Amino acid sequence: MIQLFAFYLFATIVIASAAMVIFARNPVHSVMWLILAFFNAAGLMLLAGAEFIAMLLVIVYVGAVAVLFLFVVMMLDIDFAELRAGFVRYLPLGALVAIILAAELVFAVGAWSAGGVDLAARAAPVVSDKSNIQQIGELLYTRYIFLFEAAGIVLLVAMIGAIVLTHRQRGGVRTQNISKQNQRRPQDATRLVDPGVGQGMEL
């Protein structure tokens, strides 16, 4: 009973917060509603037994993607009047996309009502004595270890490329000289001055 109540609670909040992402007038409020939707989607994943995907939603999407969206939105100089004008201009295209998505949802519900997929025929059967995270970890670090390492190398190359592309040599910038700092003596670093009354101090 409590699982059914939790499912309807999480599902209702996800749908409501997703609608508020679209209809909120302030982009910052839209990002906050999106974070709420991610949290409740993680709750749904926990109810479905996919705790790994739930943690991904919280750590990756809420902790990184949504926060990045929030910083970008807050740093941009957004003209709300222009946003409303653009909303009216792209309303026919948005209505067309909404109709297509609604038709896909109706088709999906009809396919689900016709009968579920035979889960017993899938290639990787569920092991009851192991958790979802343990099974994913065993697959990643045994069968797919080379693909996992290749993905890490691709991300590393992308990070280095982004640093190289954004790094610029600028003139007139004081840089740090480590060897000169290590050779500096205490008497060169400080100077004791006892100026007289009413006298200034020369630098």
Side-chain angles (χ1 to χ4, degrees):
M1 182 63 184
I2 188 172
Q3 293 180 351
L4 186 63
F5 174 75
F7 170 78
Y8 282 112
L9 176 64
F10 288 143
T12 304
I13 297 178
V14 165
I15 295 173
S17 56
M20 290 303 299
V21 170
I22 301 173
F23 293 110
R25 294 182 178 271
N26 194 330
V28 178
H29 296 168
S30 296
V31 177
M32 300 304 292
W33 285 111
L34 184 63
I35 293 175
L36 181 61
F38 283 151
F39 268 112
N40 287 274
L44 290 175
M45 292 298 106
L46 281 178
L47 291 178
E51 60 272 8
F52 181 74
I53 299 178
M55 293 301 104
L56 281 182
L57 281 171
V58 174
I59 296 173
V60 177
Y61 283 90
V62 176
V65 178
V67 174
L68 179 63
F69 287 169
L70 187 61
F71 274 101
V72 170
V73 167
M74 292 178 67
M75 286 190 298
L76 292 178
D77 188 12
I78 299 175
D79 188 0
F80 293 100
E82 185 178 353
L83 279 179
R84 296 188 185 96
F87 176 79
V88 175
R89 183 172 55 187
Y90 293 110
L91 184 59
L93 179 61
L96 178 62
V97 174
I99 292 173
I100 294 174
L101 290 177
E104 289 180 350
L105 287 176
V106 172
F107 178 74
V109 172
W112 176 74
S113 301
V117 181
D118 187 11
L119 299 179
R122 56 187 174 179
V126 176
V127 182
S128 59
D129 58 342
K130 293 182 180 179
S131 64
N132 181 262
I133 298 178
Q134 187 176 357
Q135 295 180 46
I136 294 177
E138 289 180 356
L139 284 176
L140 279 179
Y141 293 106
T142 54
R143 183 182 300 178
Y144 302 107
I145 180 64
F146 295 110
L147 295 176
F148 184 73
E149 294 293 336
I153 293 174
V154 169
L155 292 175
L156 177 63
V157 171
M159 181 182 68
I160 295 175
I163 294 173
V164 170
L165 289 175
T166 56
H167 182 68
R168 300 177 182 176
Q169 293 290 342
R170 294 180 296 176
V173 179
R174 299 180 62 183
T175 59
Q176 188 177 15
N177 192 337
I178 303 297
S179 61
K180 187 176 180 180
Q181 289 179 349
N182 291 333
Q183 295 172 4
R184 192 174 187 183
R185 299 175 301 173
Q187 54 267 29
D188 298 333
T190 59
R191 185 176 58 156
L192 297 177
V193 179
D194 187 13
V197 179
Q199 297 179 356
M201 198 170 72
E202 297 180 0
L203 298 178

Short mmCIF file of all heavy atoms in Angstrom, two decimals, residues 80-137:
data_model
loop_
_atom_site.label_atom_id
_atom_site.label_comp_id
_atom_site.label_asym_id
_atom_site.label_seq_id
_atom_site.Cartn_x
_atom_site.Cartn_y
_atom_site.Cartn_z
N PHE A 80 12.98 39.33 -21.02
CA PHE A 80 11.75 38.55 -20.87
C PHE A 80 10.70 38.94 -21.91
O PHE A 80 9.92 38.09 -22.35
CB PHE A 80 11.20 38.73 -19.46
CG PHE A 80 12.06 38.14 -18.40
CD1 PHE A 80 12.92 38.94 -17.65
CD2 PHE A 80 12.06 36.77 -18.15
CE1 PHE A 80 13.72 38.39 -16.67
CE2 PHE A 80 12.87 36.23 -17.17
CZ PHE A 80 13.70 37.04 -16.43
N ALA A 81 10.67 40.19 -22.32
CA ALA A 81 9.72 40.59 -23.36
C ALA A 81 10.04 39.89 -24.68
O ALA A 81 9.14 39.43 -25.40
CB ALA A 81 9.77 42.11 -23.54
N GLU A 82 11.32 39.76 -24.99
CA GLU A 82 11.71 39.05 -26.21
C GLU A 82 11.40 37.57 -26.11
O GLU A 82 11.02 36.93 -27.10
CB GLU A 82 13.21 39.26 -26.46
CG GLU A 82 13.70 38.67 -27.78
CD GLU A 82 15.17 38.94 -27.99
OE1 GLU A 82 15.75 39.70 -27.19
OE2 GLU A 82 15.73 38.40 -28.95
N LEU A 83 11.53 37.01 -24.89
CA LEU A 83 11.18 35.61 -24.70
C LEU A 83 9.70 35.37 -24.96
O LEU A 83 9.32 34.38 -25.61
CB LEU A 83 11.54 35.16 -23.27
CG LEU A 83 12.99 34.79 -23.00
CD1 LEU A 83 13.16 34.41 -21.54
CD2 LEU A 83 13.42 33.64 -23.89
N ARG A 84 8.85 36.26 -24.45
CA ARG A 84 7.41 36.09 -24.68
C ARG A 84 7.07 36.25 -26.15
O ARG A 84 6.22 35.53 -26.69
CB ARG A 84 6.65 37.11 -23.84
CG ARG A 84 6.82 36.91 -22.34
CD ARG A 84 5.89 37.82 -21.55
NE ARG A 84 6.14 37.72 -20.12
CZ ARG A 84 6.91 38.56 -19.44
NH1 ARG A 84 7.51 39.56 -20.07
NH2 ARG A 84 7.10 38.39 -18.14
N ALA A 85 7.73 37.17 -26.84
CA ALA A 85 7.49 37.32 -28.28
C ALA A 85 7.93 36.08 -29.04
O ALA A 85 7.26 35.63 -29.98
CB ALA A 85 8.23 38.56 -28.80
N GLY A 86 9.06 35.50 -28.63
CA GLY A 86 9.50 34.27 -29.27
C GLY A 86 8.57 33.11 -28.99
O GLY A 86 8.39 32.23 -29.85
N PHE A 87 7.96 33.10 -27.81
CA PHE A 87 7.02 32.03 -27.49
C PHE A 87 5.82 32.08 -28.43
O PHE A 87 5.36 31.05 -28.94
CB PHE A 87 6.57 32.18 -26.03
CG PHE A 87 5.52 31.18 -25.62
CD1 PHE A 87 5.86 29.88 -25.31
CD2 PHE A 87 4.18 31.55 -25.56
CE1 PHE A 87 4.90 28.96 -24.94
CE2 PHE A 87 3.21 30.65 -25.19
CZ PHE A 87 3.57 29.35 -24.87
N VAL A 88 5.32 33.27 -28.68
CA VAL A 88 4.18 33.40 -29.60
C VAL A 88 4.59 33.04 -31.03
O VAL A 88 3.83 32.42 -31.78
CB VAL A 88 3.62 34.83 -29.52
CG1 VAL A 88 2.51 35.02 -30.54
CG2 VAL A 88 3.10 35.11 -28.11
N ARG A 89 5.81 33.40 -31.40
CA ARG A 89 6.25 33.15 -32.77
C ARG A 89 6.42 31.65 -33.05
O ARG A 89 6.12 31.17 -34.13
CB ARG A 89 7.56 33.88 -33.02
CG ARG A 89 8.08 33.76 -34.44
CD ARG A 89 9.28 34.66 -34.65
NE ARG A 89 10.32 34.41 -33.65
CZ ARG A 89 11.42 35.15 -33.52
NH1 ARG A 89 11.58 36.21 -34.29
NH2 ARG A 89 12.33 34.85 -32.62
N TYR A 90 6.94 30.92 -32.06
CA TYR A 90 7.19 29.49 -32.25
C TYR A 90 6.05 28.61 -31.71
O TYR A 90 6.22 27.41 -31.55
CB TYR A 90 8.49 29.08 -31.56
CG TYR A 90 9.71 29.69 -32.20
CD1 TYR A 90 10.43 30.69 -31.53
CD2 TYR A 90 10.14 29.28 -33.45
CE1 TYR A 90 11.55 31.26 -32.11
CE2 TYR A 90 11.26 29.85 -34.04
CZ TYR A 90 11.97 30.83 -33.36
OH TYR A 90 13.07 31.38 -33.95
N LEU A 91 4.91 29.22 -31.41
CA LEU A 91 3.78 28.46 -30.90
C LEU A 91 3.28 27.40 -31.88
O LEU A 91 3.02 26.26 -31.47
CB LEU A 91 2.65 29.41 -30.51
CG LEU A 91 1.42 28.77 -29.86
CD1 LEU A 91 1.81 28.03 -28.58
CD2 LEU A 91 0.36 29.82 -29.57
N PRO A 92 3.14 27.67 -33.19
CA PRO A 92 2.68 26.59 -34.09
C PRO A 92 3.63 25.39 -34.14
O PRO A 92 3.18 24.24 -34.12
CB PRO A 92 2.61 27.30 -35.45
CG PRO A 92 2.43 28.74 -35.13
CD PRO A 92 3.22 28.96 -33.89
N LEU A 93 4.93 25.66 -34.18
CA LEU A 93 5.89 24.56 -34.18
C LEU A 93 5.83 23.77 -32.88
O LEU A 93 5.86 22.53 -32.89
CB LEU A 93 7.30 25.11 -34.41
CG LEU A 93 8.43 24.07 -34.41
CD1 LEU A 93 8.23 23.06 -35.54
CD2 LEU A 93 9.78 24.76 -34.53
N GLY A 94 5.70 24.47 -31.76
CA GLY A 94 5.59 23.78 -30.48
C GLY A 94 4.32 22.96 -30.38
O GLY A 94 4.32 21.85 -29.83
N ALA A 95 3.21 23.48 -30.93
CA ALA A 95 1.96 22.72 -30.93
C ALA A 95 2.09 21.46 -31.78
O ALA A 95 1.58 20.39 -31.40
CB ALA A 95 0.82 23.59 -31.44
N LEU A 96 2.80 21.56 -32.90
CA LEU A 96 3.01 20.37 -33.75
C LEU A 96 3.83 19.31 -33.01
O LEU A 96 3.49 18.12 -33.04
CB LEU A 96 3.71 20.79 -35.05
CG LEU A 96 4.05 19.66 -36.02
CD1 LEU A 96 2.78 18.96 -36.49
CD2 LEU A 96 4.85 20.21 -37.20
N VAL A 97 4.88 19.74 -32.35
CA VAL A 97 5.70 18.78 -31.58
C VAL A 97 4.89 18.17 -30.45
O VAL A 97 4.98 16.96 -30.17
CB VAL A 97 6.96 19.49 -31.05
CG1 VAL A 97 7.74 18.56 -30.12
CG2 VAL A 97 7.85 19.95 -32.19
N ALA A 98 4.05 18.97 -29.78
CA ALA A 98 3.21 18.45 -28.70
C ALA A 98 2.22 17.42 -29.22
O ALA A 98 1.97 16.39 -28.57
CB ALA A 98 2.49 19.61 -28.01
N ILE A 99 1.64 17.65 -30.39
CA ILE A 99 0.70 16.69 -30.98
C ILE A 99 1.41 15.37 -31.31
O ILE A 99 0.89 14.27 -31.05
CB ILE A 99 0.04 17.30 -32.23
CG1 ILE A 99 -0.88 18.44 -31.82
CG2 ILE A 99 -0.74 16.23 -32.99
CD1 ILE A 99 -1.44 19.22 -33.00
N ILE A 100 2.63 15.49 -31.85
CA ILE A 100 3.40 14.27 -32.17
C ILE A 100 3.72 13.48 -30.91
O ILE A 100 3.58 12.26 -30.86
CB ILE A 100 4.67 14.65 -32.94
CG1 ILE A 100 4.32 15.22 -34.32
CG2 ILE A 100 5.58 13.43 -33.10
CD1 ILE A 100 5.51 15.75 -35.08
N LEU A 101 4.15 14.18 -29.85
CA LEU A 101 4.46 13.50 -28.59
C LEU A 101 3.21 12.87 -27.98
O LEU A 101 3.26 11.75 -27.44
CB LEU A 101 5.09 14.49 -27.61
CG LEU A 101 6.50 14.97 -27.96
CD1 LEU A 101 6.96 16.01 -26.95
CD2 LEU A 101 7.48 13.82 -28.01
N ALA A 102 2.05 13.56 -28.05
CA ALA A 102 0.82 12.98 -27.54
C ALA A 102 0.42 11.74 -28.32
O ALA A 102 -0.02 10.74 -27.74
CB ALA A 102 -0.29 14.04 -27.59
N ALA A 103 0.61 11.76 -29.65
CA ALA A 103 0.31 10.57 -30.45
C ALA A 103 1.22 9.41 -30.09
O ALA A 103 0.79 8.25 -30.01
CB ALA A 103 0.44 10.91 -31.94
N GLU A 104 2.49 9.70 -29.82
CA GLU A 104 3.42 8.64 -29.40
C GLU A 104 3.02 8.07 -28.05
O GLU A 104 3.13 6.85 -27.83
CB GLU A 104 4.84 9.19 -29.36
CG GLU A 104 5.43 9.47 -30.73
CD GLU A 104 6.84 10.01 -30.65
OE1 GLU A 104 7.28 10.32 -29.53
OE2 GLU A 104 7.50 10.10 -31.71
N LEU A 105 2.58 8.93 -27.14
CA LEU A 105 2.14 8.43 -25.83
C LEU A 105 0.92 7.54 -25.97
O LEU A 105 0.83 6.48 -25.32
CB LEU A 105 1.84 9.61 -24.91
CG LEU A 105 3.04 10.39 -24.36
CD1 LEU A 105 2.59 11.59 -23.55
CD2 LEU A 105 3.91 9.47 -23.50
N VAL A 106 -0.04 7.94 -26.80
CA VAL A 106 -1.22 7.10 -27.02
C VAL A 106 -0.83 5.76 -27.63
O VAL A 106 -1.32 4.70 -27.24
CB VAL A 106 -2.23 7.85 -27.92
CG1 VAL A 106 -3.37 6.92 -28.33
CG2 VAL A 106 -2.78 9.07 -27.20
N PHE A 107 0.11 5.80 -28.57
CA PHE A 107 0.58 4.56 -29.19
C PHE A 107 1.29 3.67 -28.17
O PHE A 107 1.12 2.44 -28.16
CB PHE A 107 1.53 4.90 -30.35
CG PHE A 107 2.12 3.70 -31.02
CD1 PHE A 107 1.34 2.91 -31.88
CD2 PHE A 107 3.44 3.35 -30.80
CE1 PHE A 107 1.88 1.80 -32.49
CE2 PHE A 107 3.99 2.25 -31.41
CZ PHE A 107 3.21 1.47 -32.26
N ALA A 108 2.09 4.29 -27.28
CA ALA A 108 2.80 3.51 -26.26
C ALA A 108 1.83 2.87 -25.27
O ALA A 108 1.99 1.71 -24.88
CB ALA A 108 3.81 4.40 -25.54
N VAL A 109 0.80 3.63 -24.87
CA VAL A 109 -0.19 3.06 -23.95
C VAL A 109 -0.95 1.93 -24.62
O VAL A 109 -1.23 0.88 -24.00
CB VAL A 109 -1.16 4.18 -23.48
CG1 VAL A 109 -2.32 3.58 -22.70
CG2 VAL A 109 -0.41 5.19 -22.62
N GLY A 110 -1.27 2.07 -25.90
CA GLY A 110 -1.94 0.99 -26.61
C GLY A 110 -1.08 -0.24 -26.73
O GLY A 110 -1.56 -1.38 -26.57
N ALA A 111 0.22 -0.06 -26.99
CA ALA A 111 1.13 -1.21 -27.07
C ALA A 111 1.29 -1.88 -25.72
O ALA A 111 1.37 -3.11 -25.62
CB ALA A 111 2.48 -0.76 -27.61
N TRP A 112 1.31 -1.07 -24.65
CA TRP A 112 1.43 -1.65 -23.32
C TRP A 112 0.16 -2.42 -22.95
O TRP A 112 0.23 -3.48 -22.31
CB TRP A 112 1.68 -0.53 -22.31
CG TRP A 112 1.73 -1.01 -20.89
CD1 TRP A 112 2.73 -1.70 -20.29
CD2 TRP A 112 0.72 -0.83 -19.90
NE1 TRP A 112 2.42 -1.96 -18.99
CE2 TRP A 112 1.18 -1.44 -18.72
CE3 TRP A 112 -0.54 -0.22 -19.90
CZ2 TRP A 112 0.42 -1.45 -17.55
CZ3 TRP A 112 -1.28 -0.22 -18.74
CH2 TRP A 112 -0.80 -0.83 -17.59
N SER A 113 -1.00 -1.92 -23.35
CA SER A 113 -2.25 -2.61 -23.06
C SER A 113 -2.38 -3.92 -23.85
O SER A 113 -3.04 -4.86 -23.42
CB SER A 113 -3.44 -1.70 -23.39
OG SER A 113 -3.38 -0.50 -22.65
N ALA A 114 -1.73 -3.97 -25.03
CA ALA A 114 -1.81 -5.18 -25.84
C ALA A 114 -1.04 -6.35 -25.23
O ALA A 114 -1.32 -7.50 -25.53
CB ALA A 114 -1.29 -4.89 -27.24
N GLY A 115 -0.10 -6.08 -24.38
CA GLY A 115 0.68 -7.15 -23.75
C GLY A 115 2.11 -6.72 -23.55
O GLY A 115 2.67 -6.00 -24.39
N GLY A 116 2.69 -7.17 -22.47
CA GLY A 116 4.06 -6.79 -22.16
C GLY A 116 5.07 -7.61 -22.93
O GLY A 116 4.76 -8.61 -23.57
N VAL A 117 6.31 -7.16 -22.86
CA VAL A 117 7.41 -7.86 -23.51
C VAL A 117 7.81 -9.06 -22.66
O VAL A 117 7.79 -9.01 -21.42
CB VAL A 117 8.61 -6.90 -23.69
CG1 VAL A 117 9.77 -7.60 -24.38
CG2 VAL A 117 8.19 -5.69 -24.48
N ASP A 118 8.18 -10.15 -23.32
CA ASP A 118 8.59 -11.36 -22.62
C ASP A 118 9.97 -11.13 -22.02
O ASP A 118 11.00 -11.23 -22.71
CB ASP A 118 8.62 -12.55 -23.58
CG ASP A 118 8.88 -13.86 -22.84
OD1 ASP A 118 8.82 -13.86 -21.59
OD2 ASP A 118 9.15 -14.87 -23.51
N LEU A 119 10.00 -10.79 -20.74
CA LEU A 119 11.28 -10.47 -20.10
C LEU A 119 12.15 -11.70 -19.88
O LEU A 119 13.35 -11.58 -19.69
CB LEU A 119 11.01 -9.78 -18.75
CG LEU A 119 10.24 -8.46 -18.83
CD1 LEU A 119 10.04 -7.89 -17.43
CD2 LEU A 119 10.96 -7.45 -19.70
N ALA A 120 11.56 -12.89 -19.89
CA ALA A 120 12.36 -14.09 -19.66
C ALA A 120 13.27 -14.41 -20.84
O ALA A 120 14.22 -15.17 -20.70
CB ALA A 120 11.43 -15.27 -19.38
N ALA A 121 12.98 -13.83 -22.00
CA ALA A 121 13.77 -14.13 -23.19
C ALA A 121 14.93 -13.17 -23.39
O ALA A 121 15.60 -13.24 -24.41
CB ALA A 121 12.87 -14.09 -24.42
N ARG A 122 15.17 -12.26 -22.47
CA ARG A 122 16.26 -11.31 -22.65
C ARG A 122 17.61 -11.97 -22.40
O ARG A 122 17.69 -13.01 -21.76
CB ARG A 122 16.08 -10.10 -21.74
CG ARG A 122 15.96 -10.44 -20.27
CD ARG A 122 15.61 -9.19 -19.48
NE ARG A 122 15.36 -9.54 -18.10
CZ ARG A 122 15.06 -8.64 -17.19
NH1 ARG A 122 14.97 -7.38 -17.53
NH2 ARG A 122 14.83 -9.01 -15.95
N ALA A 123 18.67 -11.35 -22.91
CA ALA A 123 19.99 -11.98 -22.90
C ALA A 123 20.61 -12.01 -21.52
O ALA A 123 21.38 -12.92 -21.21
CB ALA A 123 20.92 -11.24 -23.87
N ALA A 124 20.32 -11.04 -20.69
CA ALA A 124 20.95 -10.96 -19.36
C ALA A 124 19.87 -11.14 -18.30
O ALA A 124 19.20 -10.19 -17.91
CB ALA A 124 21.65 -9.63 -19.18
N PRO A 125 19.67 -12.36 -17.81
CA PRO A 125 18.64 -12.58 -16.79
C PRO A 125 19.01 -11.94 -15.46
O PRO A 125 20.18 -11.71 -15.16
CB PRO A 125 18.60 -14.11 -16.67
CG PRO A 125 19.94 -14.56 -17.12
CD PRO A 125 20.36 -13.59 -18.19
N VAL A 126 18.00 -11.62 -14.67
CA VAL A 126 18.21 -10.96 -13.39
C VAL A 126 18.66 -11.98 -12.35
O VAL A 126 18.07 -13.05 -12.22
CB VAL A 126 16.91 -10.27 -12.93
CG1 VAL A 126 17.09 -9.65 -11.55
CG2 VAL A 126 16.50 -9.21 -13.94
N VAL A 127 19.72 -11.63 -11.64
CA VAL A 127 20.22 -12.47 -10.54
C VAL A 127 19.63 -11.93 -9.25
O VAL A 127 19.86 -10.77 -8.89
CB VAL A 127 21.76 -12.47 -10.50
CG1 VAL A 127 22.26 -13.38 -9.39
CG2 VAL A 127 22.32 -12.91 -11.85
N SER A 128 18.90 -12.76 -8.55
CA SER A 128 18.15 -12.28 -7.39
C SER A 128 19.03 -11.98 -6.19
O SER A 128 18.67 -11.17 -5.35
CB SER A 128 17.08 -13.31 -7.01
OG SER A 128 17.70 -14.56 -6.71
N ASP A 129 20.20 -12.64 -6.08
CA ASP A 129 21.03 -12.45 -4.90
C ASP A 129 22.03 -11.30 -5.04
O ASP A 129 22.87 -11.12 -4.16
CB ASP A 129 21.79 -13.75 -4.58
CG ASP A 129 22.67 -14.19 -5.75
OD1 ASP A 129 22.42 -13.72 -6.86
OD2 ASP A 129 23.59 -15.00 -5.52
N LYS A 130 21.96 -10.53 -6.11
CA LYS A 130 22.87 -9.41 -6.32
C LYS A 130 22.06 -8.14 -6.56
O LYS A 130 21.02 -8.18 -7.20
CB LYS A 130 23.80 -9.66 -7.51
CG LYS A 130 24.79 -10.80 -7.28
CD LYS A 130 25.71 -10.95 -8.48
CE LYS A 130 26.70 -12.09 -8.27
NZ LYS A 130 27.59 -12.27 -9.44
N SER A 131 22.61 -7.03 -6.09
CA SER A 131 21.92 -5.77 -6.27
C SER A 131 22.15 -5.23 -7.69
O SER A 131 23.01 -5.71 -8.44
CB SER A 131 22.43 -4.74 -5.25
OG SER A 131 23.81 -4.47 -5.48
N ASN A 132 21.37 -4.23 -8.02
CA ASN A 132 21.46 -3.62 -9.34
C ASN A 132 22.83 -2.99 -9.57
O ASN A 132 23.43 -3.14 -10.65
CB ASN A 132 20.36 -2.57 -9.47
CG ASN A 132 20.35 -1.90 -10.82
OD1 ASN A 132 20.89 -0.82 -10.98
ND2 ASN A 132 19.75 -2.54 -11.80
N ILE A 133 23.37 -2.31 -8.58
CA ILE A 133 24.67 -1.65 -8.72
C ILE A 133 25.78 -2.69 -8.86
O ILE A 133 26.72 -2.52 -9.65
CB ILE A 133 24.92 -0.73 -7.51
CG1 ILE A 133 23.87 0.37 -7.46
CG2 ILE A 133 26.32 -0.14 -7.55
CD1 ILE A 133 24.00 1.30 -6.28
N GLN A 134 25.69 -3.79 -8.10
CA GLN A 134 26.72 -4.83 -8.18
C GLN A 134 26.74 -5.49 -9.56
O GLN A 134 27.81 -5.75 -10.12
CB GLN A 134 26.48 -5.87 -7.10
CG GLN A 134 27.58 -6.92 -7.00
CD GLN A 134 27.37 -7.88 -5.85
OE1 GLN A 134 26.40 -7.73 -5.09
NE2 GLN A 134 28.24 -8.84 -5.72
N GLN A 135 25.57 -5.73 -10.13
CA GLN A 135 25.52 -6.33 -11.46
C GLN A 135 26.09 -5.39 -12.52
O GLN A 135 26.85 -5.82 -13.40
CB GLN A 135 24.08 -6.68 -11.81
CG GLN A 135 23.47 -7.76 -10.93
CD GLN A 135 22.05 -8.06 -11.32
OE1 GLN A 135 21.72 -8.21 -12.49
NE2 GLN A 135 21.16 -8.15 -10.33
N ILE A 136 25.76 -4.11 -12.44
CA ILE A 136 26.31 -3.15 -13.41
C ILE A 136 27.83 -3.03 -13.26
O ILE A 136 28.57 -2.98 -14.25
CB ILE A 136 25.64 -1.77 -13.24
CG1 ILE A 136 24.16 -1.85 -13.61
CG2 ILE A 136 26.33 -0.71 -14.09
CD1 ILE A 136 23.40 -0.58 -13.40
N GLY A 137 28.31 -3.02 -12.03
CA GLY A 137 29.75 -2.95 -11.80
C GLY A 137 30.48 -4.17 -12.34
O GLY A 137 31.56 -4.04 -12.94
#
